[in-house]
Amino acid sequence: MTDAELRDELVTLLLAGHETTATSVAWAVERLVRHPDKLRRLVEEIGAGRDGERPEAYMNAVVNETLRVRPVVPIVVRTLTDELRVGRYTLPAGTRVTPSIYLTNRNPRVYEHPEQFLPERFLERNPETFAWIPFGGGIRRCIGAAFAQLEMKLMLRTVLEELQPSIPRASIWRRREWTRRRAITLVPGSGARVVWRRRVPSG
Ligand code: HEM
């Protein structure tokens, strides 16, 4: 590789890989802290270890649901190589189309209460290829998708094993945080700030 190619690879990893995953973990913490029953259930599962029949079932559901309801990348972009019919529209080759990740993940024909954070919906069924697209789709789907989900689970497990998050007392965002756009990602409006306290070991 040339120096320029090497630099491009490193910057891609930083922007496509680090920023996106870190923001998704921030959203997971933001959602969990505002849904204490879900947080409790996740912490209980972490405490029970990974020997069960379906290890990390709830953790997987939390990660899938966070990526559904708070996708950090809202759209993907494609240029049509062939004509495409979408409903009553005919789009000629060369048209630039932007499928919406945000809207697809909230399709009310697929998801009941699509705007709500309900990890339980992914306990019974896995995310569907065309209805859950936080990582895009097709041949250019995110190359780091599996790695990102592994990282998210590892980070959440590591911190929640020892620390308990709560909403800061003075927070003006007690109910939920607004979504803010930072460059091309959607991030928690006030930085997903939480207070972390060391959990008192049980027993
Ligand atoms: C939660 C974390 C992540 C999210 C939400 C995310 C999301 C996305 C999305 C939406 C795309 C565009 C896909 C498309 O056009 O269909 C993409 C592409 C890409 N992602 Fe990720 N990503 C994440 C983590 C990562 C990680 C950890 C890496 C690398 C270690 C990575 C590397 C890439 C690369 C290289 C591309 C371009 C792929 C191509 O054009 O062929 N991403 N990502």
Side-chain angles (χ1 to χ4, degrees):
M1 278 193 216
T2 63
D3 283 355
E5 284 170 341
L6 207 53
R7 180 212 51 209
D8 287 351
E9 291 291 324
L10 286 171
V11 171
T12 303
L13 267 190
L14 265 182
L15 291 185
H18 175 84
E19 183 75 12
T20 46
T21 313
T23 304
S24 298
V25 172
W27 273 127
V29 171
E30 188 279 337
R31 289 293 69 201
L32 285 166
V33 89
R34 284 172 177 80
H35 295 82
D37 54 324
K38 323 273 183 226
L39 174 62
R40 203 171 310 119
R41 184 165 179 182
L42 180 60
V43 170
E44 270 167 25
E45 183 188 80
I46 293 170
R50 273 172 283 163
D51 303 330
E53 213 172 275
R54 291 175 67 201
E56 298 213 294
Y58 200 67
M59 175 67 92
N60 283 323
V62 165
V63 167
N64 290 339
E65 180 67 344
T66 302
L67 292 166
R68 183 193 71 79
V69 80
R70 292 291 186 274
V72 297
V73 183
I75 54 169
V76 283
V77 183
R78 296 288 189 275
T79 304
L80 298 182
T81 50
D82 286 319
E83 185 180 280
L84 177 73
R85 274 192 71 91
V86 183
R88 59 198 167 91
Y89 300 98
T90 303
L91 308 173
T95 306
R96 190 169 279 191
V97 291
T98 52
S100 172
I101 292 178
Y102 187 91
L103 292 176
T104 304
N105 283 5
R106 285 168 178 240
N107 184 350
R109 280 180 294 169
V110 179
Y111 299 105
E112 237 178 274
H113 308 299
E115 74 296 344
Q116 288 182 21
F117 178 69
L118 296 171
E120 287 71 13
R121 65 174 100 239
F122 289 121
L123 285 177
E124 300 307 322
R125 59 174 188 172
N126 288 326
E128 288 166 35
T129 309
F130 298 110
W132 183 88
I133 57 164
F135 296 103
I139 199 165
R140 303 305 293 262
R141 184 177 189 263
C142 175
I143 201 171
F147 181 57
Q149 288 167 89
L150 178 77
E151 282 184 294
M152 285 181 71
K153 288 186 259 181
L154 190 62
M155 279 189 253
L156 286 170
R157 196 189 324 128
T158 305
V159 285
L160 291 174
E161 255 171 3
E162 293 191 18
L163 303 172
Q164 177 73 23
S166 59
I167 305 173
R169 218 180 285 269
S171 179
I172 52 166
W173 312 97
R174 288 206 76 82
R175 220 163 62 81
R176 71 186 176 102
E177 287 198 26
W178 300 110
T179 300
R180 191 163 59 83
R181 222 186 92 191
R182 190 169 62 206
I184 56 158
T185 53
L186 299 182
V187 306
S190 65
R193 265 178 239 177
V194 291
V195 175
W196 292 101
R197 287 196 181 81
R198 196 161 289 283
R199 192 171 288 114
V200 183
S202 55

